Amino acid sequence: MTVNELCTSLNLQAICLPDPERKINGVYIGDLLSWVMGRAQADNAWITIMSNINVIAVASLADVACVILAEGVTLDETVLATAQQKGVNVLASSQPAYETALQLNGKA
């Protein structure tokens, strides 16, 4: 499944989609950035409630397919600009991380 297909199928909000055709392979959930950096796999969809500039840095380093911001979290303009510059796909869900993960079950 691609990031764009995931966004459509789960009715997620596309915050930043510089690479909508990026393939997703697996899901990682976590908010401790150092932990995510060492454990998230390339092409994972990463679910988090964190929205600071370091999320974009970790997403880029871990080479995740997208970041899914849970619980209605959004990005400020500076973080959004950095996500666009670094080519990081960012989606948003109004649901808690657990509910978002349940919706992803079997899709990624």
Side-chain angles (χ1 to χ4, degrees), residues 1-14 16-17 19-25 45 65-66 68 89 91 103-104 106-108:
M1 171 173 282
T2 68
V3 173
N4 195 45
E5 290 169 339
L6 179 68
C7 186
T8 301
S9 71
L10 296 185
N11 198 29
L12 300 173
Q13 178 187 1
C16 180
L17 275 181
D19 189 7
E21 297 307 311
R22 174 97 186 250
K23 298 278 186 195
I24 298 172
N25 183 19
C66 64
I68 302 173
N89 292 311
L91 310 174
Q103 290 177 335
L104 280 164
K107 294 186 185 296

Side-chain angles (χ1 to χ4, degrees), residues 16 18 53 56 75 78-90:
C16 180
I53 194 76
I56 304 306
L75 298 180
T78 304
V79 178
L80 176 58
T82 302
Q84 290 171 334
Q85 179 186 18
K86 295 201 175 276
V88 175
N89 292 311
V90 182

